[in-house]
Every structure is written in C-alpha cells, then in structure tokens.
C-alpha cells in the first residue's frame, strides 16, 4: 500500500520561465538514467527480492523516494513552462541563428538547441511528460531486476553514477537560483545513493550470500579456470599492462591476473552449416534452379 504526502520532498521554484531548459530537465525524468528508471528498477528489485528482509525494505524505501523526485522535477518543468509560449522562445533564438550563419555553423543545430519541445505545448499542456530530452518515451527495458542482488546492486551504482553526472551537467547549464537549489538537493541524494549501493555491495558480500564473480552459486570448476584471470591485449600498444588488472591477485581473491601480450585464437576457422534448401539461402556450392 502506498501513501502520498502532498508536500514535496524539497523544492525551490525557478525565478523565471525557461521552456528550453524545461526540455533539458526531461532527461532527468524519462532518460535512460532518469528518475523513472531508478524508481522502477528499485521497486521491481524490492518486489522480486527473496533475500533477507532488510534488503527488500531498503529497496522499497529508495524506490518510493524516487517517486517523489519525479514529482519534484515535474513541478519544476511546470514552473519553467509557465508563461513561456513558443513565440517567446523563437524570438530569443533569432540572434543565435544569425550568428551561426555568419560563423559558418549549422542554423538547424542552433534552432533545435534553442527551441521549446513542441509536445510540452501540444501534448501535455505545459506539463512534464514520461520521456527524455528529445521526446523519446521512457522504456521499461531501461531497468534491471535480475533476482541476483549483487548483480542488481552493481547496476544500481552504475545508474546513480550516470544520473548524478547528468544532474551535475544540468546544474552547470543554468543560472537560475531556484533551479540550482533544487538540483543541489537531488545531487546530494545521488551522493547518498551512490554510497548506499557501495555499502549494500559490501554488506551483501560480507554476509556470504553473494560474492564475486556473479553468480557465485555457479561451481568454479565448471568454467575453464586457465582463462579466468587472463587479460588479453587486443589492441596495438601495451600500455594496458600497467594497470591493476594485469598483474597481482585477482579482485575476488581466487586467482592471479596474467597479462597476455599476444593472444592467439583457440578455435578453427568457422565453417557454417549449409542452409536448408527450403529456406532458399545461398549455398557454398551447387547448381541454381530457375522457375521454368
């Protein structure tokens, strides 16, 4: 059962409308690493969790928090779009377009960068949409919920790292004090969540329920162990030999890294099976028959 508190987690309204920036904020809602993604990812991981109750409870705590982040961003977009008609945005872009023409760059690129998202006026009535900054709808394939908590927690760390990176970039793209203040709160929560997932990974591995490599339940003797810790140099140069991954004990403590400077193929040249004639693929040899 979910409950909604009408007050926002945190919010400072923008000082002035900015429909172009509203389009950019959409990335933090419906982008690959936006709040919709982490919300659904954490909730599904929690709902699907068969492990200790503390992990399920924690996942549902954070997933529910992310719902509030979407509401904050949707409210921000509504303020940014208020009293910001398309005509105003077109007027503000004129000088930039003239400069692009005189400077030899693409006017089309400038227009696209300085234009309001027309769906904000046509589809949502000056409101947020479940899509990214170029209007692509949010996709459920963005989320990871595998049932293996170590694999999922690592995906969560990745998502929060990318999400904070994008929020910081958007922070740098505005001078509006209200927007910066709200984003500052969200960036702080991303800091917490990155630390959270690092802590959950440590907690889970120390419990012995999951260890590296994932899945740790697969018997190691069933993999070809002679290749488990080899780094293969597959490009020109040997600078990669200087990294931690090229020598010393492996990170899982179960082997030693080995640097293979000139890896060699271990299999034969491929010889694909000939096609079934009923599929009418082109065979390696044979006589072509016509339709006469």
């Amino acid at each position: 059962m979910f409950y909604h508190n009408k007050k926002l987690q945190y919010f400072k309204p923008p000082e002035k409308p900015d429909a172009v920036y509203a389009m950019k904020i959409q990335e933090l809602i419906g982008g690959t690493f936006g709040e919709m993604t982490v919300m659904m990812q954490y909730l599904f991981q929690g709902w699907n969790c068969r492990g200790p109750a503390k992990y399920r409870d924690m996942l549902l705590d954070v997933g529910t928090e992310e719902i509030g982040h979407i509401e904050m961003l949707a409210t921000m977009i509504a303020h940014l779009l208020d009293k910001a008609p398309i005509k105003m945005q077109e007027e503000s872009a004129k000088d930039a377009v003239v400069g692009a023409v005189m400077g030899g760059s693409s006017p089309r690129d400038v227009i696209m960068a300085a234009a309001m998202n027309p769906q904000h006026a046509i589809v949502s009535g000056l409101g947020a949409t479940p899509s990214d900054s170029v209007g692509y709808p949010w996709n459920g394939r963005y989320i990871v919920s595998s049932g293996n908590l170590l694999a999922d927690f690592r995906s969560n760390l990745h998502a929060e790292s990318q999400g904070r990176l994008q929020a910081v970039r958007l922070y740098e793209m505005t001078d509006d004090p209200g927007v910066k203040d709200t984003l500052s709160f969200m960036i702080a929560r991303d800091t917490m969540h990155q630390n959270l997932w690092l802590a959950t990974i440590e907690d889970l591995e120390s419990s012995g329920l999951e260890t590296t490599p994932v899945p740790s339940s697969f018997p190691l003797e069933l993999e070809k162990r002679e290749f488990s810790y080899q780094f293969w140099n597959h490009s020109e140069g040997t600078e990669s030999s200087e990294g931690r991954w090229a020598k010393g004990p492996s990170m899982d403590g179960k082997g030693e890294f080995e640097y293979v400077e000139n890896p060699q193929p271990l299999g034969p040249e491929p010889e694909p099976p000939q096609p079934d004639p009923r599929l009418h693929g082109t065979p390696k040899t044979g006589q072509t028959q016509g339709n006469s």
Side-chain angles (χ1 to χ4, degrees):
M1 185 181 298
F2 286 86
Y3 290 93
H4 177 255
N5 188 313
K6 292 181 175 62
K7 294 183 178 180
L8 295 171
Q9 282 184 40
Y10 187 93
F11 188 73
K12 288 292 177 65
E15 290 192 351
K16 58 185 182 300
D18 187 341
V20 175
Y21 193 77
M23 178 173 63
K24 297 174 183 177
I25 286 284
Q26 282 287 161
E27 194 67 31
L28 298 186
I29 291 183
T32 306
F33 302 108
E35 301 294 335
M36 288 185 67
T37 294
V38 290
M39 172 194 75
M40 296 297 284
Q41 183 154 308
Y42 304 161
L43 290 177
F44 270 93
Q45 288 175 8
W47 293 328
N48 294 337
C49 180
R50 269 77 165 176
K54 64 179 179 180
Y55 297 124
R56 179 185 178 91
D57 189 40
M58 174 271 299
L59 284 161
L60 295 177
D61 285 339
V62 187
T64 305
E65 177 187 351
E66 302 293 4
I67 301 175
H69 291 177
I70 298 171
E71 186 176 18
M72 289 165 55
L73 291 170
T75 304
M76 177 63 72
I77 285 176
H79 281 270
L80 288 167
L81 292 173
D82 184 45
K83 301 182 180 64
I86 294 175
K87 184 174 179 60
M88 179 191 302
Q89 303 303 318
E90 291 172 343
E91 291 293 327
S92 66
K94 282 182 179 178
D95 289 342
V97 173
V98 172
V101 173
M102 298 298 290
S105 19
S106 168
R108 180 181 181 277
D109 292 343
V110 173
I111 292 169
M112 292 302 294
M116 173 183 181
N117 179 355
Q119 289 194 336
H120 278 158
I122 301 167
V123 177
S124 64
L126 302 184
T129 63
S131 57
D132 66 14
S133 55
V134 294
Y136 188 82
W138 183 83
N139 193 320
R141 289 187 178 274
Y142 295 160
I143 75 166
V144 174
S145 178
S146 69
N148 183 292
L149 289 179
L150 186 52
D152 285 352
F153 292 165
R154 288 173 173 170
S155 295
N156 298 349
L157 176 61
H158 168 241
E160 292 287 350
S161 301
Q162 293 291 340
R164 188 175 188 275
L165 175 62
Q166 293 181 358
V168 165
R169 286 173 172 168
L170 278 163
Y171 182 93
E172 301 287 1
M173 292 179 187
T174 182
D175 294 323
D176 190 294
V179 175
K180 279 184 173 290
D181 192 85
T182 299
L183 287 179
S184 180
F185 171 83
M186 299 193 68
I187 290 167
R189 295 308 297 159
D190 289 340
T191 296
M192 170 55 197
H193 292 160
Q194 285 186 41
N195 281 276
L196 164 69
W197 299 122
L198 286 167
T200 58
I201 290 168
E202 179 183 288
D203 186 274
L204 185 61
E205 289 201 289
S206 66
S207 75
L209 288 172
E210 292 288 349
T211 59
T212 301
V214 173
S216 54
S217 55
F218 184 79
L220 292 179
E221 63 270 16
L222 296 183
E223 67 180 62
K224 294 188 180 299
R225 294 290 288 166
E226 62 269 32
F227 305 114
S228 295
Y229 303 104
Q230 289 183 344
F231 180 89
W232 288 12
N233 177 40
H234 271 290
S235 60
E236 290 185 356
T238 58
E239 291 84 355
S240 56
S241 65
E242 301 167 8
R244 171 66 180 84
W245 52 84
K247 54 185 175 293
S250 61
M251 307 312 294
D252 60 12
K254 299 171 185 175
E256 288 283 325
F257 286 130
E258 175 189 356
Y259 187 83
V260 180
E261 184 173 343
N262 296 300
Q264 298 299 310
L266 301 173
E269 291 187 19
E271 184 64 34
Q274 290 301 288
D276 186 320
R278 293 170 295 180
L279 298 179
H280 301 281
T282 303
K284 187 174 182 179
T285 61
Q287 186 174 6
T288 304
Q289 296 181 353
N291 294 325
S292 60

Short mmCIF file of all heavy atoms in Angstrom, two decimals, residues 118-149:
data_model
loop_
_atom_site.label_atom_id
_atom_site.label_comp_id
_atom_site.label_asym_id
_atom_site.label_seq_id
_atom_site.Cartn_x
_atom_site.Cartn_y
_atom_site.Cartn_z
N PRO A 118 7.89 21.03 -28.65
CA PRO A 118 6.51 21.32 -29.01
C PRO A 118 5.50 20.43 -28.29
O PRO A 118 4.35 20.83 -28.10
CB PRO A 118 6.48 21.09 -30.52
CG PRO A 118 7.66 20.24 -30.82
CD PRO A 118 8.70 20.60 -29.80
N GLN A 119 5.93 19.23 -27.85
CA GLN A 119 4.99 18.37 -27.12
C GLN A 119 4.58 18.97 -25.78
O GLN A 119 3.51 18.66 -25.27
CB GLN A 119 5.61 16.98 -26.92
CG GLN A 119 5.69 16.18 -28.22
CD GLN A 119 5.98 14.72 -27.96
OE1 GLN A 119 6.54 14.35 -26.93
NE2 GLN A 119 5.60 13.87 -28.89
N HIS A 120 5.44 19.81 -25.22
CA HIS A 120 5.07 20.48 -23.97
C HIS A 120 3.86 21.38 -24.15
O HIS A 120 3.09 21.60 -23.21
CB HIS A 120 6.25 21.29 -23.42
CG HIS A 120 7.24 20.47 -22.67
ND1 HIS A 120 8.55 20.86 -22.48
CD2 HIS A 120 7.12 19.28 -22.03
CE1 HIS A 120 9.19 19.95 -21.76
NE2 HIS A 120 8.34 18.98 -21.48
N ALA A 121 3.69 21.91 -25.36
CA ALA A 121 2.52 22.75 -25.63
C ALA A 121 1.37 21.96 -26.23
O ALA A 121 0.21 22.16 -25.88
CB ALA A 121 2.91 23.89 -26.59
N ILE A 122 1.71 20.99 -27.11
CA ILE A 122 0.67 20.29 -27.87
C ILE A 122 0.09 19.11 -27.10
O ILE A 122 -1.13 18.89 -27.09
CB ILE A 122 1.23 19.80 -29.22
CG1 ILE A 122 1.75 20.99 -30.05
CG2 ILE A 122 0.18 19.02 -30.01
CD1 ILE A 122 2.60 20.57 -31.25
N VAL A 123 0.95 18.34 -26.46
CA VAL A 123 0.52 17.08 -25.85
C VAL A 123 0.22 17.22 -24.37
O VAL A 123 -0.83 16.76 -23.90
CB VAL A 123 1.60 15.99 -26.07
CG1 VAL A 123 1.20 14.69 -25.38
CG2 VAL A 123 1.85 15.77 -27.55
N SER A 124 1.13 17.84 -23.63
CA SER A 124 0.98 17.84 -22.16
C SER A 124 0.42 19.14 -21.60
O SER A 124 0.25 19.24 -20.38
CB SER A 124 2.34 17.55 -21.51
OG SER A 124 3.25 18.59 -21.81
N GLY A 125 0.15 20.13 -22.44
CA GLY A 125 -0.42 21.37 -21.94
C GLY A 125 0.47 22.09 -20.96
O GLY A 125 0.05 22.51 -19.88
N LEU A 126 1.75 22.22 -21.31
CA LEU A 126 2.77 22.88 -20.49
C LEU A 126 3.06 22.09 -19.21
O LEU A 126 3.28 22.66 -18.13
CB LEU A 126 2.39 24.33 -20.16
CG LEU A 126 2.14 25.25 -21.36
CD1 LEU A 126 1.87 26.67 -20.89
CD2 LEU A 126 3.32 25.23 -22.33
N GLY A 127 3.09 20.79 -19.36
CA GLY A 127 3.44 19.92 -18.24
C GLY A 127 4.52 18.93 -18.65
O GLY A 127 4.88 18.81 -19.82
N ALA A 128 5.04 18.21 -17.66
CA ALA A 128 6.08 17.21 -17.90
C ALA A 128 5.50 16.00 -18.62
O ALA A 128 4.29 15.73 -18.56
CB ALA A 128 6.72 16.79 -16.58
N THR A 129 6.37 15.25 -19.28
CA THR A 129 5.98 14.02 -19.97
C THR A 129 6.91 12.89 -19.55
O THR A 129 8.04 13.14 -19.13
CB THR A 129 6.06 14.19 -21.50
OG1 THR A 129 7.42 14.46 -21.88
CG2 THR A 129 5.16 15.32 -21.98
N PRO A 130 6.46 11.63 -19.66
CA PRO A 130 7.33 10.50 -19.33
C PRO A 130 8.27 10.18 -20.49
O PRO A 130 8.22 9.11 -21.10
CB PRO A 130 6.34 9.36 -19.08
CG PRO A 130 5.18 9.69 -19.95
CD PRO A 130 5.09 11.19 -19.99
N SER A 131 9.15 11.12 -20.81
CA SER A 131 10.05 10.97 -21.94
C SER A 131 11.35 11.69 -21.65
O SER A 131 11.48 12.40 -20.64
CB SER A 131 9.40 11.55 -23.21
OG SER A 131 9.05 12.91 -23.01
N ASP A 132 12.34 11.51 -22.55
CA ASP A 132 13.64 12.14 -22.33
C ASP A 132 13.71 13.51 -22.98
O ASP A 132 12.69 14.05 -23.44
CB ASP A 132 14.77 11.21 -22.81
CG ASP A 132 14.76 10.99 -24.33
OD1 ASP A 132 14.06 11.72 -25.06
OD2 ASP A 132 15.46 10.08 -24.78
N SER A 133 14.88 14.08 -23.07
CA SER A 133 15.04 15.45 -23.53
C SER A 133 14.83 15.63 -25.02
O SER A 133 14.73 16.77 -25.49
CB SER A 133 16.43 15.98 -23.15
OG SER A 133 17.44 15.13 -23.66
N VAL A 134 14.78 14.55 -25.78
CA VAL A 134 14.47 14.66 -27.21
C VAL A 134 13.11 14.06 -27.53
O VAL A 134 12.78 13.81 -28.69
CB VAL A 134 15.58 14.01 -28.08
CG1 VAL A 134 16.87 14.76 -27.94
CG2 VAL A 134 15.75 12.53 -27.76
N GLY A 135 12.31 13.81 -26.50
CA GLY A 135 10.94 13.35 -26.70
C GLY A 135 10.77 11.86 -26.81
O GLY A 135 9.65 11.38 -27.03
N TYR A 136 11.85 11.08 -26.62
CA TYR A 136 11.72 9.61 -26.73
C TYR A 136 11.06 9.08 -25.46
O TYR A 136 11.51 9.36 -24.34
CB TYR A 136 13.10 8.97 -26.91
CG TYR A 136 13.04 7.49 -27.20
CD1 TYR A 136 12.81 7.03 -28.49
CD2 TYR A 136 13.20 6.56 -26.18
CE1 TYR A 136 12.75 5.68 -28.76
CE2 TYR A 136 13.13 5.20 -26.44
CZ TYR A 136 12.90 4.77 -27.73
OH TYR A 136 12.84 3.42 -27.99
N PRO A 137 9.97 8.29 -25.61
CA PRO A 137 9.24 7.82 -24.42
C PRO A 137 10.09 6.92 -23.53
O PRO A 137 10.93 6.15 -24.02
CB PRO A 137 8.07 7.02 -25.03
CG PRO A 137 7.96 7.49 -26.44
CD PRO A 137 9.34 7.85 -26.87
N TRP A 138 9.87 7.03 -22.23
CA TRP A 138 10.57 6.15 -21.30
C TRP A 138 10.26 4.70 -21.63
O TRP A 138 9.16 4.35 -22.03
CB TRP A 138 10.14 6.46 -19.86
CG TRP A 138 10.89 5.61 -18.88
CD1 TRP A 138 12.13 5.85 -18.38
CD2 TRP A 138 10.46 4.37 -18.30
NE1 TRP A 138 12.52 4.84 -17.54
CE2 TRP A 138 11.51 3.92 -17.48
CE3 TRP A 138 9.31 3.60 -18.42
CZ2 TRP A 138 11.42 2.74 -16.75
CZ3 TRP A 138 9.23 2.42 -17.70
CH2 TRP A 138 10.27 1.99 -16.87
N ASN A 139 11.26 3.83 -21.42
CA ASN A 139 11.15 2.43 -21.83
C ASN A 139 11.47 1.52 -20.66
O ASN A 139 12.48 1.69 -19.98
CB ASN A 139 12.15 2.18 -22.98
CG ASN A 139 11.90 0.86 -23.69
OD1 ASN A 139 11.60 -0.14 -23.06
ND2 ASN A 139 12.05 0.87 -25.00
N GLY A 140 10.59 0.56 -20.42
CA GLY A 140 10.81 -0.39 -19.33
C GLY A 140 12.04 -1.25 -19.50
O GLY A 140 12.53 -1.84 -18.52
N ARG A 141 12.61 -1.31 -20.70
CA ARG A 141 13.85 -2.06 -20.91
C ARG A 141 15.06 -1.38 -20.28
O ARG A 141 16.14 -1.97 -20.21
CB ARG A 141 14.09 -2.28 -22.41
CG ARG A 141 13.13 -3.27 -23.05
CD ARG A 141 13.52 -3.57 -24.48
NE ARG A 141 12.63 -4.56 -25.09
CZ ARG A 141 12.76 -5.86 -25.00
NH1 ARG A 141 13.79 -6.37 -24.33
NH2 ARG A 141 11.91 -6.69 -25.58
N TYR A 142 14.89 -0.14 -19.82
CA TYR A 142 16.00 0.54 -19.15
C TYR A 142 16.32 -0.09 -17.80
O TYR A 142 17.42 0.08 -17.30
CB TYR A 142 15.66 2.02 -18.92
CG TYR A 142 15.48 2.87 -20.16
CD1 TYR A 142 14.78 4.08 -20.09
CD2 TYR A 142 16.03 2.51 -21.39
CE1 TYR A 142 14.61 4.88 -21.21
CE2 TYR A 142 15.86 3.30 -22.51
CZ TYR A 142 15.15 4.49 -22.41
OH TYR A 142 15.00 5.28 -23.52
N ILE A 143 15.35 -0.76 -17.18
CA ILE A 143 15.55 -1.19 -15.80
C ILE A 143 16.18 -2.58 -15.73
O ILE A 143 16.08 -3.39 -16.66
CB ILE A 143 14.23 -1.17 -15.00
CG1 ILE A 143 13.33 -2.35 -15.37
CG2 ILE A 143 13.50 0.15 -15.15
CD1 ILE A 143 12.20 -2.57 -14.38
N VAL A 144 16.85 -2.83 -14.61
CA VAL A 144 17.49 -4.12 -14.33
C VAL A 144 16.91 -4.67 -13.04
O VAL A 144 16.94 -4.00 -12.00
CB VAL A 144 19.01 -3.96 -14.19
CG1 VAL A 144 19.64 -5.28 -13.74
CG2 VAL A 144 19.64 -3.48 -15.49
N SER A 145 16.34 -5.86 -13.11
CA SER A 145 15.85 -6.55 -11.92
C SER A 145 16.01 -8.04 -12.18
O SER A 145 15.13 -8.69 -12.73
CB SER A 145 14.38 -6.21 -11.65
OG SER A 145 13.89 -6.91 -10.52
N SER A 146 17.17 -8.58 -11.77
CA SER A 146 17.56 -9.92 -12.17
C SER A 146 17.24 -11.00 -11.15
O SER A 146 17.27 -12.18 -11.46
CB SER A 146 19.07 -9.95 -12.44
OG SER A 146 19.79 -9.78 -11.22
N GLY A 147 16.98 -10.58 -9.90
CA GLY A 147 16.81 -11.57 -8.84
C GLY A 147 18.10 -11.89 -8.12
O GLY A 147 18.08 -12.51 -7.05
N ASN A 148 19.25 -11.48 -8.70
CA ASN A 148 20.54 -11.64 -8.03
C ASN A 148 20.91 -10.27 -7.45
O ASN A 148 21.17 -9.32 -8.19
CB ASN A 148 21.60 -12.12 -9.02
CG ASN A 148 22.95 -12.37 -8.35
OD1 ASN A 148 23.61 -11.46 -7.90
ND2 ASN A 148 23.34 -13.63 -8.29
N LEU A 149 20.95 -10.18 -6.14
CA LEU A 149 21.10 -8.87 -5.50
C LEU A 149 22.45 -8.23 -5.78
O LEU A 149 22.54 -7.00 -5.94
CB LEU A 149 20.88 -8.99 -3.99
CG LEU A 149 19.44 -9.25 -3.56
CD1 LEU A 149 19.36 -9.38 -2.03
CD2 LEU A 149 18.51 -8.13 -4.03
#
